Amino acid sequence: MSSAQTDNLNIASVDYMPSPREIKTQLPMSEAAEHTVLQGRQTLCDILDRKDPRLFVVLGPCSIHDPEAGLDYARRLKVLADEVADTMLLVMRVYFEKPRTAVGWKGFINDPYLDDTFRIDEGMAKARRFLMDINELGLPAATEALDPIAPQYYGDLIAWTAIGARTAESQTHREMSSGLSTPVGFKNGTDGDLGVAVNAILSASSPHSFLGIGSDGQSVILRTRGNRYGHLVLRGGNGQPNYDTVSVALAEQALEKAGIPKNIVVDCSHANSSKKPELQPLVMKDVMHQIREGNQSIVGLMIESFIEAGNQPMAEDRSKLRYGCSITDACVNWATTEEMIREGAEVLRKVRKQA
């Protein structure tokens, strides 16, 4: 018998990772957090089912790298959310995982100390703690599902999930989405292709069986019911926007042709604003104008927003990082965020009066 090794040839080491049950036992769901999650999910489903006339807005930092600043932002957002609750449901964007085009910091769970120590075990626990804090404020949370194992650790604290432009075509992510407990927004492809997202919505609405992990960390076969709350997120593509009236109409036609409810979310960032945060308010104004003119398919918006405007490079000395400023994509600042949301809420109030 040959003694040559044929597997794990490029694996440097294997480290222990606590199971989902261990992390959840360490950080159990509180009653307040549970209420926020359930209420947030139900409201989002009601908006998608047209039982609730409000617009939902997913907004927050491009990624979470500093929980202290993230919680500071969340407290501000909760006050704003209560102010506009008559017309909008504000959901905080809480992204722990970052898909990279090539290489780079892959997010708070992967490298919570921003020092290439990759303490994923600690990152996962810190991520769950942060989500607990957000939900205990009464603020529902949204995230991007990237790693197919991660939802077992903190999916119970999420109200809305995005599948990004790079992963919407992935069978793994379509299968995972079919079993998620939240509504799922699928972004169009990075090249602007709507077909990728439309097919993903159709796939995720069907039952699937696939490999995963259970609460104790063991390998299991997951069998899903299918998720009927998949919807389209327009984020632009190939450097071109797709939030304009014509693009939205074409998206409506594509959804109708596929037999999918005409539920569209417009991402004010990424290619829709040419990755220039100062253009996000203009995108939102255009979308609000479409709603004022009678559009019925736009149910939500996404905004990349933080305390300070812009972004900053990763500094070797982490103490030199500016507080409340993104280390990934550039964001609008808090003052601009308040202005955007308040102006949007006022448009919606006028629309409601005219109805």
Side-chain angles (χ1 to χ4, degrees):
M1 182 181 293
S2 172
S3 61
Q5 184 175 341
T6 59
D7 64 349
N8 295 333
L9 297 180
N10 288 315
I11 301 298
S13 65
V14 176
D15 297 329
Y16 171 75
M17 178 70 191
S19 70
R21 189 186 302 280
E22 288 174 284
I23 296 286
K24 288 180 177 180
T25 299
Q26 182 184 3
L27 295 163
M29 171 86 81
S30 67
E31 285 188 20
E34 181 180 60
H35 175 76
T36 300
V37 172
L38 294 175
Q39 186 176 57
R41 289 177 182 173
Q42 187 58 58
T43 302
L44 286 162
C45 290
D46 286 347
I47 290 171
L48 293 167
D49 284 335
R50 301 303 195 276
K51 295 176 182 176
D52 189 321
R54 290 180 293 173
L55 189 77
F56 74 85
V57 185
V58 176
L59 69 167
C62 174
S63 59
I64 296 296
H65 73 276
D66 175 3
E68 182 183 348
L71 197 55
D72 181 353
Y73 178 93
R75 292 189 183 104
R76 302 177 192 212
L77 188 60
K78 172 58 176 166
V79 174
L80 186 60
D82 290 344
E83 179 185 325
V84 299
D86 59 320
T87 58
M88 292 177 168
L89 172 70
L90 301 190
V91 183
M92 182 165 164
R93 175 187 170 111
V94 184
Y95 280 30
F96 296 123
E97 303 177 274
K98 296 303 299 177
R100 312 310 303 191
T101 302
V103 294
W105 182 67
K106 290 189 286 187
F108 186 73
I109 291 175
N110 184 265
D111 188 17
Y113 301 110
L114 286 74
D115 60 0
D116 291 344
T117 53
F118 306 114
R119 290 305 305 266
I120 296 172
D121 53 339
E122 295 184 22
M124 191 66 79
K126 287 176 179 290
R128 184 171 176 84
R129 175 70 265 174
F130 184 78
L131 283 168
M132 289 276 289
D133 291 341
I134 298 301
N135 279 283
E136 285 172 357
L137 289 174
L139 196 61
T143 198
E144 177 178 356
L146 192 59
D147 188 303
I149 292 174
Q152 299 292 346
Y153 286 90
Y154 61 76
D156 55 326
L157 289 160
I158 300 297
W160 185 86
T161 305
I163 299 296
R166 296 173 182 83
T167 47
E169 200 165 5
S170 157
Q171 176 171 297
T172 298
H173 291 83
R174 293 176 178 187
E175 290 173 343
M176 173 176 62
S177 298
S178 75
L180 291 177
S181 301
T182 70
V184 180
F186 292 90
K187 292 194 175 185
N188 62 256
T190 54
D191 61 356
D193 180 25
L194 298 180
V196 167
V198 169
N199 288 333
I201 295 168
L202 287 171
S203 175
S205 68
S206 301
H208 290 275
S209 297
F210 54 94
L211 286 173
I213 67 163
S215 295
D216 292 315
Q218 77 279 20
S219 295
V220 295
I221 301 170
L222 295 171
R223 305 191 192 279
T224 70
R225 295 189 176 94
N227 189 337
R228 74 181 190 88
Y229 286 105
H231 49 280
L232 175 64
V233 180
L234 298 178
R235 48 88 72 200
N238 268 351
Q240 299 297 317
N242 63 358
Y243 64 84
D244 58 278
T245 307
V246 173
S247 295
V248 170
L250 290 173
E252 291 172 350
Q253 291 174 16
L255 291 170
E256 186 171 24
K257 184 178 179 181
I260 298 170
K262 289 185 281 187
N263 289 324
I264 295 172
V265 174
V266 173
D267 181 354
C268 296
S269 188
H270 300 99
N272 273 336
S273 59
S274 300
K275 286 203 169 186
K276 296 177 180 178
E278 65 271 18
L279 297 182
Q280 288 191 73
L282 298 179
V283 177
M284 183 169 175
K285 283 182 181 178
D286 187 286
V287 174
M288 298 313 298
H289 176 75
Q290 292 181 53
I291 292 172
R292 187 169 57 232
E293 292 298 308
N295 177 279
Q296 298 293 315
S297 65
I298 298 171
V299 293
L301 292 167
M302 297 185 74
I303 300 167
E304 288 192 308
S305 149
F306 208 0
I307 297 169
E308 298 294 331
N311 60 354
Q312 61 186 322
M314 188 90 77
E316 280 192 28
D317 181 355
R318 304 299 177 237
S319 66
K320 299 287 175 63
L321 287 174
R322 279 192 295 143
Y323 178 81
C325 184
S326 174
I327 62 169
T328 46
D329 287 353
C331 301
V332 295
N333 66 12
W334 180 249
T336 302
T337 302
E338 288 184 306
E339 186 178 346
M340 291 170 69
I341 294 300
R342 286 178 177 142
E343 287 182 1
E346 195 54 41
V347 169
L348 294 173
R349 289 183 188 115
K350 290 177 181 177
V351 169
R352 184 175 292 181
K353 283 182 181 178
Q354 294 168 358

